[in-house]
């Protein structure tokens, strides 16, 4: 799964892109609104799915090495979040889907269905 596939297959749009967009394939999904739960994730090439739109979300993504963020519930990132994502070189997408719907759709993309 790639960021381009997410944009094409989900109703999702690009908020900001990293320098290596679309980059390597995404192999895992971590979905949570508790950044403390994300901090214990031990994956490579993954995306974080969340409804949190603060700078802390970007900082967490940077710490754990996430390739990007998918904001659910049609959330618009705070200006400071978007600026930090650009500075930290992290791709951010947004979708009108709920967390559950986004996870189901991403699971289908990962499994090739």
């Amino acid at each position: 799964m790639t960021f381009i596939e997410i944009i094409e297959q989900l109703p999702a749009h690009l908020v900001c892109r990293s320098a290596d967009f679309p980059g390597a394939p995404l192999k895992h999904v971590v979905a949570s609104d508790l950044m403390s739960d994300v901090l214990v994730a031990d994956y490579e090439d993954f995306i974080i799915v969340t409804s949190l739109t603060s700078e802390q979300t970007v900082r967490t993504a940077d710490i754990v090495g996430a390739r990007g963020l998918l904001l659910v519930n049609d959330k618009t990132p705070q200006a400071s979040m978007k600026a930090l994502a650009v500075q930290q070189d992290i791709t951010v997408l947004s979708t009108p889907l709920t967390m559950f719907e986004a996870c189901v759709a991403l699971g289908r993309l990962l499994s090739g269905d």
Side-chain angles (χ1 to χ4, degrees), residues 31-100:
S32 183
D33 285 338
L34 295 172
M35 292 300 105
S36 58
D37 287 350
V38 175
L39 286 169
V40 298
D42 189 23
Y43 297 107
E44 291 184 13
D45 298 325
F46 71 100
I47 187 170
I48 298 171
V49 180
T50 187
S51 64
L52 300 177
T53 61
S54 69
E55 291 178 44
Q56 191 62 32
T57 306
V58 176
R59 293 186 195 289
T60 301
D62 183 49
I63 289 168
V64 298
R67 298 191 49 77
L69 299 165
L70 176 62
L71 304 176
V72 296
N73 300 323
D74 221 9
K75 296 280 182 133
T76 303
Q78 298 173 12
S80 58
M81 178 193 189
K82 186 175 177 180
L84 185 60
V86 169
Q87 179 184 346
Q88 297 294 334
D89 200 32
I90 295 175
T91 297
V92 179
L93 307 176
S94 183
T95 180
L97 299 176
T98 65
M99 176 87 76
F100 176 79

Side-chain angles (χ1 to χ4, degrees), residues 18-36:
S18 63
D20 70 344
F21 179 86
L26 300 165
K27 298 176 185 172
H28 303 279
V29 174
V30 174
S32 183
D33 285 338
L34 295 172
M35 292 300 105
S36 58

